[in-house]
Amino acid sequence: MTIATKKLSLTINDQAVGPIDVPEAMMMQDFLYEYLNLTASRMGCGQGICHACTIIVEKDDGALEETRTCIMGAHWFAGKKVRTVEGHAKRDATGAIVALSPVQQAFIEHFSFQCGYCTPGFVTGATVLMDQLKRNPIRREELEPTIVEALDRHICRCSGYVRYLEAVRDLILQTPGLVKA
């Protein structure tokens, strides 16, 4: 028996990847783990419900979008530019982390996670929300409902939702231009 493969090329964390022969039915989560050793996004439910596996897809206009990797085939990402949670922090030429992203830093400052299993998904969701607010600022009174709507799909089994919300709210309020007067 032979597994059908197809060439896959895409950009991951600003690095061109491929073309690589990848099984046609392989999920993106498995491709990231098995071919690239990018293991930070988590396999939670395997059904696209918990969002622990999400990564960012950058659209042609530069807007960011969350996408689940446990239910999306690797070939769906062909030619796309994606960012895994490994690509959020700034790194030096050797690959060492020199600065966390503002979302990652806010989560640490608020001790937003307990076991940390869901954290990559929350980092991804909050980063996409920050990008959306840069493009379309909201009024202050809309902030908490907007955060809840953006992150509600992410499941935290330790129930750390309040700290995630507080971290994202404080970061948004400290970032100029995301909230209208």
Side-chain angles (χ1 to χ4, degrees):
M1 180 173 161
T2 303
I3 296 175
T5 63
K6 194 161 84 175
K7 300 275 186 206
L8 175 62
S9 296
L10 66 160
T11 301
I12 299 180
N13 301 332
D14 296 323
Q15 301 291 317
V17 174
I20 301 173
D21 283 321
V22 177
E24 291 180 357
M26 180 171 268
M27 292 294 119
M28 183 62 161
Q29 178 87 34
D30 296 327
F31 174 72
L32 293 171
Y33 273 60
E34 296 177 19
Y35 284 75
L36 304 176
N37 198 31
L38 295 173
T39 59
S41 62
R42 302 293 185 201
M43 174 61 83
C45 64
Q47 300 175 352
I49 297 169
C50 74
H51 289 247
C53 68
T54 57
I55 63 172
I56 292 173
V57 174
E58 185 176 322
K59 296 179 180 178
D60 292 340
D61 66 358
L64 305 181
E65 179 178 74
E66 272 185 90
T67 303
R68 295 165 288 180
T69 60
C70 72
I71 59 169
M72 298 295 289
H75 288 283
W76 183 86
F77 296 89
K80 295 185 180 347
K81 184 175 180 180
V82 304
R83 185 184 329 160
T84 67
V85 78
E86 289 93 341
H88 287 249
K90 290 184 181 170
R91 297 178 183 270
D92 66 16
T94 68
I97 294 174
V98 294
L100 296 175
S101 75
V103 170
Q104 291 170 318
Q105 189 63 46
F107 284 178
I108 287 176
E109 290 170 3
H110 286 265
F111 196 69
S112 299
F113 42 85
Q114 292 180 32
C115 79
Y117 202 83
C118 64
T119 303
F122 275 94
V123 168
T124 298
T127 301
V128 169
L129 174 61
M130 298 282 292
D131 177 68
Q132 291 169 347
L133 295 178
K134 285 178 187 170
R135 297 168 189 277
N136 298 302
I138 57 173
R139 293 188 322 261
R140 173 62 182 92
E141 61 268 21
E142 299 170 318
L143 183 56
E144 279 81 5
T146 299
I147 295 169
V148 169
E149 182 180 339
L151 299 181
D152 193 41
R153 62 185 72 100
H154 292 269
I155 295 174
C156 172
R157 294 187 175 129
C158 303
S159 66
Y161 299 106
V162 172
R163 290 183 178 175
Y164 280 124
L165 185 138
E166 291 172 348
V168 173
R169 181 194 60 217
D170 291 355
L171 178 61
I172 290 170
L173 289 173
Q174 294 168 7
T175 306
L178 304 184
V179 176
K180 299 180 211 172

